[in-house]
Each structure stands twice: as structure tokens, then as C-alpha cells.
Amino acid sequence: MHTVLISGGGIAGTALARLLRRQGFAPTVVELAPGPRRGGQAVDIRGVALEVIGRMGLTGQVRAVRTRMRGMSVLDGDGTEVHHSTEATFSSGRLDSGDVELLREDLVAILAGRVADEVEFVWGDAVTGLREDERGVHVTFRHAQPRTFDLVVGADGLHSRVRRLAFGPEEQYLNRLGMHVAIFGADNFLGLEDWQVWQRDGDAGYGIYPVRGNSELRVAFGWASEEPAVRDADEAKARVAERMAALRWETPRLLEALHRAPDFYADEMAQVRMDRWSAGRAVLVGDSGYCASPLSGQGTSLALVGAHLLADELGRAAAAGEDHRAAFERYEERMRPFVALNQALATENPGGPASEESVEKAKNAISLDR
């Protein structure tokens, strides 16, 4: 049985573990966090990615925890409503579509629940070195003892450790989009009921929506800046507060909640663009290899479809007695046109959503079957 180390226990890594196990592989997932990550924004499963969820037998679970927004309001800097819609929201698009929006943490929990008894998870650890020879990839970890695997997959996000170790510094591959985002959770002190509120003034703004039966809020701050992201949480919170200070309405209360938030996340908006996604026995999936940025609205769908195609091609190669290189080549050949269309969504209309026509074309522009 082929052994595969997957670095990253998010959507791409956990989905891949499930799909590889079905193909007869023995995956191990290593994740830096001490357990499944909590917090994060609502994510969308669209088009062909819904078919992936169906093939994994997860449609019922996913739909049961979807968000159920009634609409949204758009406010100016003073909190005056300038737009109102009961047909669409910025986070999920048209409310009458077949797409599914749910919290990232809920999707990860569903995926992890299906593999908990058949896949090894190593929590609170990270890959520190890769050395390949004819026997496999010899991997060192921050805490665990070194191990050897047949293959290594980087599913560890925009700042992928596997990508850095196998392909070189991330500066070669990051295409910065001049925007930053910060996301956190808070009590629903605004009393929102299945309704989103978006405020923008100049190059800064935020979106707020209720979750968990309207008991909590998810807040997403965004602002334009060419500055690099900072990793220190306190420094990042201070930067957010500075950027949002000019906004009025409920901004002071939101910034108070920001400083108390235990699930704070902040980073720059960027895309990953690479000429190849594999190097020897290492391969990338999801944001590690082809991040489209949150501006595309398609990161989750890319992760799910990429995991499906990679597992499919590795399974085909194993059944035909081929090696991993043939599988990696076919995976890239099938996935690249889909990635290109979805990355284009983030740059079609900078600062605003892509057209409905572009979104519809991009989310269905691939077949799961060869």
C-alpha cells in the first residue's frame, strides 16, 4: 500500500485523505494546529465541486449546515444604507442558486469526521525537511521522529511549507493583489437575523453576517495596501484597527470585539502561480499550488476538485502499474484550465464581484470524468 504524507488538515488536505483512502492508499495528515481549526469565513461550494461532495456521500451533511441568509444591506461610511437586496449577497452570490455556503470549520469537521477512523492525523506538528531518493521521501518534522513516505502532498495553504521545501521561496510564486483581509468571530451584539451588512468608505470596509442560529457574528475587514502581511497577531490587530479607524457606525464596537477575538486570522490577498505543481515525489493541491484568493469566491471549489482529480489520477496510475509521475502530469493537464478561469475571477473586476456570466462559466468548466 502506497503511503502519502499530506501537509495540511484543511479542506484540500482532509478531502484528499478521504479520496486517497478510497483508492487504497495509506494517507497521513500532519497539521500545525493542535486540532481542526475553528473560526474562519463562510465558504462556497459551487458547480462541479458540488458533484465532488456528492461522490463523497456528503451532500446531506453539507446542506444541513449551510447558511440561510435572507439578503444584505450595503452602508456608507456613516452607516446609511445605500443598497438593499433580497436576491443576492456578496458572500454567496444569488440566493436562489444551487450553490452551498457554509462555515469553513463546519466543512472541515464534516470531512474529518469521515476519515477519523481510517486516516492517521498528526496534530500540532509540521514538516521541516524533505529528502528524496529511490526509496521515497524522507521527511523530518518539528516534533515527531523522521519518517519515509512514497509521496508527499502540500495542502498547507498560501504559505505552504511543502512548496517552499520542494520548489523554493514563496516570493517566486506569489502574485500579490494589493488587498488585505482580517476575519474573526464575535457575539451577535448587532442582533442581525440571517442578514448581512457591508460597509465601505474609500479603500477600507467590512462585511458582517450572523452564524450559529444568529448567536454569533463573522466579521471580515478588508483594505487596500501594498504592505506585506505581518504574522504577529497583536501587530496585525493593531494594523487592522488603524486601517478601520476612519469608518463610523458600529466600527468602534467591532474593533473592541476584534481585540478580544480568539479566532483572529489576517493575511494579504494573493494568488499562487506556478509553471508546475509537482517536483519528484512531491505535489501541491489547493491554495498551495493555485490559490485564487478569497476575491475569487472559488478557493473551496478549487480545493475539492483538485483533491478529487489528484486522487483519481493516482488511483488510475496505481491500477495500471504506472508511477506517480504519470499521475501528476495528468492531474495538471486536467486541472490547469479550471484554475486559470477561476483565478481570473479575482482580477476581472478589482474591488468588486466578478460578473455572473464569468462565475457560471468558471465554476462548471471541468469534468470529473476523463
Side-chain angles (χ1 to χ4, degrees), residues 42-364:
V43 298
D44 298 295
I45 307 175
R46 295 170 162 168
V48 70
L50 288 168
E51 188 178 346
V52 175
I53 290 295
R55 293 188 181 193
M56 296 175 73
L58 302 176
T59 299
Q61 286 180 270
V62 163
R63 291 191 179 277
V65 295
R66 69 184 303 172
T67 63
R68 302 189 183 278
M69 296 295 151
R70 298 179 292 110
M72 69 173 181
S73 297
V74 181
L75 314 179
D76 65 14
D78 292 312
T80 301
E81 185 177 76
V82 295
H83 177 69
H84 178 102
S85 177
T86 56
E87 297 180 351
T89 67
F90 288 154
S91 71
S92 64
R94 291 195 60 84
L95 298 178
D96 60 0
S97 78
D99 303 338
V100 175
E101 181 186 66
L102 73 166
L103 291 177
R104 179 193 180 278
E105 64 191 58
D106 287 345
L107 179 55
V108 172
I110 290 170
L111 292 167
R114 286 299 183 98
V115 296
D117 296 332
E118 54 188 25
V119 170
E120 178 189 12
F121 280 81
V122 180
W123 301 105
D125 211 343
V127 174
T128 58
L130 303 174
R131 182 176 60 82
E132 181 178 330
D133 61 25
E134 67 280 359
R135 293 181 297 147
V137 186
H138 306 285
V139 184
T140 56
F141 300 91
R142 182 178 294 179
H143 302 296
Q145 292 297 308
R147 294 170 62 177
T148 299
F149 298 87
D150 294 312
L151 303 172
V152 172
V153 180
D156 41 358
L158 181 65
H159 304 293
S160 169
R161 291 172 177 269
V162 169
R163 187 184 64 230
R164 176 171 53 81
L165 292 168
F167 297 87
E170 69 176 33
E171 292 299 325
Q172 302 177 57
Y173 309 113
L174 257 57
N175 178 38
R176 292 181 164 84
L177 301 178
M179 293 288 295
H180 287 246
V181 65
I183 300 165
F184 63 95
D187 293 335
N188 187 3
F189 58 84
L190 296 177
L192 295 178
E193 295 184 2
D194 301 324
W195 192 264
Q196 297 186 2
V197 177
W198 297 81
Q199 184 184 38
R200 182 170 180 174
D201 190 14
D203 61 2
Y206 50 78
I208 314 167
Y209 47 89
V211 298
R212 304 285 180 233
N214 297 312
S215 65
E216 302 176 21
L217 298 177
R218 287 291 189 272
V219 183
F221 287 123
W223 67 96
S225 174
E226 299 296 334
E227 295 178 302
V230 293
R231 302 267 73 87
D232 179 76
D234 290 337
E235 185 179 351
K237 287 181 178 181
R239 177 181 288 185
V240 172
E242 177 185 353
R243 292 292 180 176
M244 298 298 128
L247 295 174
R248 279 84 55 200
W249 189 55
E250 294 284 358
T251 303
R253 294 174 72 191
L254 290 169
L255 292 179
E256 288 179 12
L258 162 74
H259 288 294
R260 296 192 302 268
D263 58 353
F264 173 78
Y265 165 84
D267 208 338
E268 60 187 316
M269 299 278 199
Q271 293 187 339
V272 175
R273 296 178 178 268
M274 305 181 70
D275 293 333
R276 57 193 175 95
W277 300 328
S278 64
R281 293 175 178 268
V283 66
L284 305 174
V285 67
D287 282 355
S288 301
Y290 35 85
C291 178
S293 88
L295 294 173
S296 73
Q298 281 289 93
T300 296
S301 292
L302 286 170
L304 291 169
V305 173
H308 183 281
L309 295 189
L310 179 57
D312 182 52
E313 290 300 346
L314 285 170
R316 289 176 183 272
E322 301 173 316
D323 68 12
H324 59 277
R325 289 171 294 186
F328 291 168
E329 288 176 7
R330 291 194 294 263
Y331 157 62
E332 289 207 31
E333 181 181 356
R334 295 172 66 186
M335 190 67 184
R336 277 196 177 277
F338 187 59
V339 169
L341 282 171
N342 283 285
Q343 287 190 330
L345 294 177
T347 56
E348 176 185 291
N349 181 26
S355 68
E356 288 187 24
E357 180 181 1
S358 296
V359 172
E360 287 300 315
K361 180 180 179 181
K363 73 184 187 181
N364 291 297

